[in-house]
């Protein structure tokens, strides 16, 4: 809910078949999507799956997959329609004895209450914090709009019929608080040299944009701050500000092996001055490989296993998305 803004009832109806994909015609890039079935607004939605959401979904599917590699089918009772739905690979299910049963809204609320109680977090009066599942939908909308998402786009994501409903979800801070903060910033600026707040020239703006365009290097991404010099004279493998690209592991290993061979040659020929510099580069290459190893242990990509469903026209479901 925190990552998607879906309703409680929509979350519990997500199945393995809700994960689909779309291939961009312009670039051929495959975009993962989450299909939200119609709920009280009768509006079906397709949400873009972010890397954080993909990590959550992959963890859920990995836990659910049985010996055959498939998500178990389980029947769920629709309390609104008063009917039993056919067995489906629902994502929010659990094993109770030898059976697989779906999570109910009541069970979801109890899990949330227990999780908050375990944190020990309290409000200003010392009482244990309590949240309803719908609170996370409000948090999602507030966070999205406060970070620049246009309200009408948030309306589409949440499936609201009226944008007034979306705006009502967003937490609004008192106007006097905002005005007081702006006045504080204005007072602080008045004590600073005026040239610090002048409009940048075209050349300065172009230089700023060029810095970010040149961040990509052969073995990763340079995270050096704007206007700061390159202290390693572009010997990137030595730099602590280089974020190595996992796809360039092979190149890094070649650099490491080449440095080992060059050090052996320099020691053999007596080039002691060169040995010292090569050892610094070798330590840097080893550090970059260690960074990739640590990232690999904390975040392992898991195939979501997007299902193929037969359609009356032939082909698979995702071919018709």
């Amino acid at each position: 809910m925190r990552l998607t803004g879906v309703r409680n009832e929509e979350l519990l109806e997500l199945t393995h078949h809700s994960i689909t994909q779309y291939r961009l015609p312009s670039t051929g890039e495959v975009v993962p999507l989450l299909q939200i079935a119609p709920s009280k607004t009768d509006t079906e939605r397709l949400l873009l799956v972010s890397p954080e959401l993909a990590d959550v979904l992959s963890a859920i599917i990995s836990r659910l997959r049985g010996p055959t590699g498939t998500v178990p089918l389980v029947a769920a009772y629709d309390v609104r329609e008063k009917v039993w739905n056919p067995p489906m690979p629902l994502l929010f299910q659990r094993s109770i004895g030898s059976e697989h049963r779906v999570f109910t809204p009541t069970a979801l609320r109890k899990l949330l209450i227990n999780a908050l109680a375990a944190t020990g977090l309290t409000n200003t009066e010392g009482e244990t914090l309590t949240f309803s599942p719908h609170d996370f939908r409000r948090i999602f909308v507030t966070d999205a709009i406060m970070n620049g998402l246009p309200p009408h786009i948030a309306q589409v994501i949440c499936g609201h019929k009226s944008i007034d409903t979306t705006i009502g979800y967003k937490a609004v801070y008192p106007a006097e608080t905002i005005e007081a903060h702006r006045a504080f910033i204005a007072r602080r600026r008045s004590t600073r040299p005026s040239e610090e707040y002048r409009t940048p020239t075209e050349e300065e703006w172009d230089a700023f944009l060029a810095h970010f365009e040149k961040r990509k290097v052969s073995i990763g991404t340079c995270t050096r701050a704007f206007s700061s010099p390159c202290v390693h004279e572009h010997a990137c493998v030595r730099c602590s500000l280089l974020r190595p690209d996992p796809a360039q592991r092979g190149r890094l290993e070649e650099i490491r092996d080449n440095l080992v061979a060059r050090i052996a040659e320099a020691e053999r020929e007596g080039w002691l001055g060169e040995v010292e510099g090569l050892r610094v580069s070798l330590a840097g290459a080893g550090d970059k490989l260690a960074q990739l190893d640590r990232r690999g242990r904390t975040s392992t990509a898991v195939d979501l296993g997007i299902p193929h469903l037969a359609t009356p026209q032939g082909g698979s479901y995702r071919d018709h998305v």
Side-chain angles (χ1 to χ4, degrees):
M1 287 177 287
R2 175 65 182 84
L3 296 173
T4 61
V6 301
R7 298 182 181 86
N8 187 18
E9 64 270 20
E10 295 170 338
L11 183 77
L12 296 179
E13 290 179 353
L14 291 178
T15 74
H16 196 185
H17 301 315
S18 300
I19 304 170
T20 183
Q21 62 185 28
Y22 175 72
R23 187 179 297 276
L24 297 176
S26 56
T27 63
E29 178 185 359
V30 175
V31 178
L33 301 171
L34 188 65
Q35 187 175 27
I36 308 299
S39 59
K40 63 181 180 181
T41 61
D42 287 332
T43 302
E44 181 178 348
R45 315 194 298 285
L46 282 173
L47 304 183
L48 179 65
V49 176
S50 65
E52 294 81 8
L53 179 57
D55 188 52
V56 172
L57 293 174
S58 65
I60 292 173
I61 294 172
S62 296
R63 288 197 296 264
L64 290 178
R65 277 177 173 155
T68 61
T70 59
V71 176
L73 303 180
V74 60
Y77 183 71
D78 191 324
V79 296
R80 295 169 181 79
E81 300 293 335
K82 308 299 182 183
V83 296
W84 281 92
N85 292 322
M88 295 184 292
L90 293 167
L91 296 184
F92 290 91
Q93 58 174 280
R94 55 182 172 175
S95 298
I96 301 179
S98 59
E99 297 182 358
H100 286 272
R101 297 183 185 176
V102 298
F103 280 97
T104 63
T106 301
L108 195 62
R109 292 190 185 91
K110 288 181 178 179
L111 288 172
L112 182 57
I113 292 172
N114 293 338
L116 283 170
T119 65
L121 297 174
T122 59
N123 58 20
T124 55
E125 299 178 356
E127 300 172 342
T128 301
L129 285 179
T130 57
F131 282 104
S132 70
H134 206 72
D135 288 331
F136 291 94
R137 184 167 161 86
R138 296 179 181 275
I139 293 172
F140 170 82
V141 174
T142 299
D143 184 61
I145 294 179
M146 293 297 289
N147 282 280
L149 184 70
H152 68 282
I153 301 299
Q155 175 194 357
V156 174
I157 293 175
C158 292
H160 290 151
K161 288 184 177 180
S162 170
I163 195 170
D164 294 334
T165 305
T166 309
I167 297 299
Y169 273 44
K170 175 184 171 292
V172 179
Y173 297 98
E176 60 271 16
T177 303
I178 298 175
E179 293 303 323
H181 175 72
R182 288 176 174 172
F184 167 74
I185 295 297
R187 288 195 302 271
R188 291 297 296 270
R189 285 180 174 174
S190 66
T191 64
R192 303 293 302 170
S194 58
E195 58 268 17
E196 290 187 1
Y197 301 102
R198 62 179 175 80
T199 302
T201 64
E202 289 295 326
E203 292 76 13
E204 290 170 333
W205 184 244
D206 290 341
F208 177 76
L209 296 178
H211 168 79
F212 295 97
E213 292 173 353
K214 296 175 181 178
R215 284 167 49 113
K216 187 68 176 176
V217 295
S218 61
I219 54 177
T221 303
C222 177
T223 59
R224 177 166 51 92
F226 173 67
S227 78
S228 60
C230 179
V231 296
H232 292 287
E233 297 180 352
H234 303 287
C236 298
V237 74
R238 300 182 179 185
C239 186
S240 61
L241 297 178
L242 173 72
R243 182 175 175 83
D245 182 359
Q248 299 300 322
R249 169 179 283 275
R251 181 177 174 82
L252 278 169
E253 290 174 345
E254 289 179 6
I255 292 174
R256 178 198 59 193
D257 296 342
N258 178 262
L259 286 168
V260 171
R262 290 175 62 188
I263 289 173
E265 179 187 12
E267 289 176 338
R268 185 171 59 252
E269 298 294 336
W271 304 332
L272 300 184
E274 188 171 347
V275 169
E276 198 63 32
L278 291 173
R279 284 177 176 167
V280 174
S281 296
L282 178 61
D287 178 65
K288 296 298 174 287
L289 289 169
Q291 288 183 39
L292 292 178
D293 291 337
R294 289 194 296 270
R295 288 164 59 187
R297 287 195 298 268
T298 57
S299 179
T300 303
V302 179
D303 180 14
L304 297 180
I306 296 176
H308 295 261
L309 294 179
T311 63
Q313 294 81 13
S316 64
Y317 175 81
R318 62 181 178 183
D319 294 329
H320 295 270
V321 176

